[in-house]
mmCIF file of all heavy atoms in Angstrom:
data_model
loop_
_atom_site.group_PDB
_atom_site.id
_atom_site.type_symbol
_atom_site.label_atom_id
_atom_site.label_comp_id
_atom_site.label_asym_id
_atom_site.label_seq_id
_atom_site.Cartn_x
_atom_site.Cartn_y
_atom_site.Cartn_z
ATOM 1 N N VAL Z 486 110.428 105.196 137.018
ATOM 2 C CA VAL Z 486 109.639 104.682 135.893
ATOM 3 C C VAL Z 486 110.425 104.812 134.577
ATOM 4 O O VAL Z 486 110.883 105.947 134.261
ATOM 5 C CB VAL Z 486 108.328 105.450 135.769
ATOM 6 C CG1 VAL Z 486 107.498 104.885 134.580
ATOM 7 C CG2 VAL Z 486 107.517 105.307 137.061
ATOM 8 N N LEU Z 487 110.610 103.733 133.846
ATOM 9 C CA LEU Z 487 111.356 103.805 132.601
ATOM 10 C C LEU Z 487 110.528 102.997 131.527
ATOM 11 O O LEU Z 487 110.706 101.769 131.383
ATOM 12 C CB LEU Z 487 112.762 103.191 132.730
ATOM 13 C CG LEU Z 487 113.566 103.125 131.448
ATOM 14 C CD1 LEU Z 487 113.771 104.496 130.863
ATOM 15 C CD2 LEU Z 487 114.943 102.455 131.721
ATOM 16 N N PRO Z 488 109.687 103.685 130.748
ATOM 17 C CA PRO Z 488 108.924 102.984 129.739
ATOM 18 C C PRO Z 488 109.835 102.657 128.554
ATOM 19 O O PRO Z 488 110.692 103.500 128.161
ATOM 20 C CB PRO Z 488 107.855 104.013 129.324
ATOM 21 C CG PRO Z 488 107.857 105.037 130.400
ATOM 22 C CD PRO Z 488 109.276 105.053 130.963
ATOM 23 N N LEU Z 489 109.687 101.461 128.038
ATOM 24 C CA LEU Z 489 110.424 101.036 126.805
ATOM 25 C C LEU Z 489 109.488 101.123 125.624
ATOM 26 O O LEU Z 489 108.266 101.129 125.720
ATOM 27 C CB LEU Z 489 110.959 99.637 126.985
ATOM 28 C CG LEU Z 489 111.890 99.387 128.138
ATOM 29 C CD1 LEU Z 489 112.343 97.939 128.113
ATOM 30 C CD2 LEU Z 489 113.121 100.297 128.036
ATOM 31 N N MET Z 490 110.088 101.193 124.441
ATOM 32 C CA MET Z 490 109.286 101.189 123.217
ATOM 33 C C MET Z 490 108.861 99.756 122.924
ATOM 34 O O MET Z 490 109.566 98.793 123.137
ATOM 35 C CB MET Z 490 110.159 101.727 122.070
ATOM 36 C CG MET Z 490 109.369 101.742 120.715
ATOM 37 S SD MET Z 490 110.241 102.579 119.411
ATOM 38 C CE MET Z 490 110.104 104.290 119.971
ATOM 39 N N GLY Z 491 107.624 99.631 122.415
ATOM 40 C CA GLY Z 491 107.095 98.373 121.889
ATOM 41 C C GLY Z 491 106.790 98.498 120.432
ATOM 42 O O GLY Z 491 106.854 99.586 119.853
ATOM 43 N N ASN Z 492 106.426 97.386 119.816
ATOM 44 C CA ASN Z 492 106.147 97.438 118.347
ATOM 45 C C ASN Z 492 104.948 98.328 118.049
ATOM 46 O O ASN Z 492 104.966 99.034 117.011
ATOM 47 C CB ASN Z 492 105.981 96.079 117.770
ATOM 48 C CG ASN Z 492 104.868 95.263 118.399
ATOM 49 O OD1 ASN Z 492 104.777 95.150 119.643
ATOM 50 N ND2 ASN Z 492 104.034 94.658 117.577
ATOM 51 N N HIS Z 493 103.913 98.325 118.870
ATOM 52 C CA HIS Z 493 102.783 99.203 118.593
ATOM 53 C C HIS Z 493 103.093 100.673 118.734
ATOM 54 O O HIS Z 493 102.548 101.490 118.016
ATOM 55 C CB HIS Z 493 101.590 98.818 119.497
ATOM 56 C CG HIS Z 493 100.918 97.521 119.101
ATOM 57 N ND1 HIS Z 493 99.625 97.472 118.710
ATOM 58 C CD2 HIS Z 493 101.401 96.278 119.034
ATOM 59 C CE1 HIS Z 493 99.288 96.169 118.421
ATOM 60 N NE2 HIS Z 493 100.430 95.472 118.592
ATOM 61 N N ASP Z 494 104.019 101.007 119.639
ATOM 62 C CA ASP Z 494 104.486 102.372 119.721
ATOM 63 C C ASP Z 494 105.223 102.777 118.413
ATOM 64 O O ASP Z 494 105.019 103.880 117.893
ATOM 65 C CB ASP Z 494 105.426 102.502 120.912
ATOM 66 C CG ASP Z 494 104.830 102.094 122.199
ATOM 67 O OD1 ASP Z 494 103.691 102.433 122.471
ATOM 68 O OD2 ASP Z 494 105.521 101.330 122.972
ATOM 69 N N LEU Z 495 106.012 101.900 117.898
ATOM 70 C CA LEU Z 495 106.769 102.140 116.668
ATOM 71 C C LEU Z 495 105.766 102.357 115.504
ATOM 72 O O LEU Z 495 105.931 103.252 114.701
ATOM 73 C CB LEU Z 495 107.697 100.999 116.329
ATOM 74 C CG LEU Z 495 108.584 101.135 115.098
ATOM 75 C CD1 LEU Z 495 109.523 102.319 115.213
ATOM 76 C CD2 LEU Z 495 109.377 99.851 114.826
ATOM 77 N N TYR Z 496 104.725 101.503 115.449
ATOM 78 C CA TYR Z 496 103.745 101.623 114.366
ATOM 79 C C TYR Z 496 102.978 102.952 114.480
ATOM 80 O O TYR Z 496 102.647 103.585 113.502
ATOM 81 C CB TYR Z 496 102.772 100.476 114.388
ATOM 82 C CG TYR Z 496 103.401 99.111 114.223
ATOM 83 C CD1 TYR Z 496 102.797 97.980 114.817
ATOM 84 C CD2 TYR Z 496 104.556 98.905 113.481
ATOM 85 C CE1 TYR Z 496 103.389 96.743 114.685
ATOM 86 C CE2 TYR Z 496 105.124 97.656 113.354
ATOM 87 C CZ TYR Z 496 104.541 96.579 113.950
ATOM 88 O OH TYR Z 496 105.082 95.331 113.839
ATOM 89 N N THR Z 497 102.651 103.301 115.763
ATOM 90 C CA THR Z 497 101.937 104.527 115.997
ATOM 91 C C THR Z 497 102.770 105.756 115.506
ATOM 92 O O THR Z 497 102.235 106.647 114.853
ATOM 93 C CB THR Z 497 101.627 104.717 117.479
ATOM 94 O OG1 THR Z 497 100.749 103.691 117.902
ATOM 95 C CG2 THR Z 497 101.023 106.026 117.785
ATOM 96 N N LEU Z 498 104.032 105.737 115.775
ATOM 97 C CA LEU Z 498 104.945 106.819 115.338
ATOM 98 C C LEU Z 498 104.992 106.825 113.790
ATOM 99 O O LEU Z 498 104.917 107.944 113.217
ATOM 100 C CB LEU Z 498 106.344 106.565 115.894
ATOM 101 C CG LEU Z 498 106.626 107.017 117.319
ATOM 102 C CD1 LEU Z 498 107.984 106.581 117.775
ATOM 103 C CD2 LEU Z 498 106.444 108.569 117.441
ATOM 104 N N ALA Z 499 105.107 105.698 113.178
ATOM 105 C CA ALA Z 499 105.193 105.648 111.726
ATOM 106 C C ALA Z 499 103.939 106.213 111.105
ATOM 107 O O ALA Z 499 103.996 107.020 110.138
ATOM 108 C CB ALA Z 499 105.466 104.232 111.251
ATOM 109 N N ASP Z 500 102.803 105.786 111.605
ATOM 110 C CA ASP Z 500 101.544 106.282 111.027
ATOM 111 C C ASP Z 500 101.354 107.754 111.263
ATOM 112 O O ASP Z 500 100.787 108.477 110.409
ATOM 113 C CB ASP Z 500 100.377 105.563 111.690
ATOM 114 C CG ASP Z 500 100.081 104.195 111.071
ATOM 115 O OD1 ASP Z 500 100.672 103.935 109.978
ATOM 116 O OD2 ASP Z 500 99.329 103.409 111.604
#
Side-chain angles (χ1 to χ4, degrees):
V486 179
L487 178 58
L489 299 181
M490 180 172 288
N492 60 309
H493 286 242
D494 305 315
L495 182 63
Y496 301 150
T497 295
L498 280 173
D500 278 348

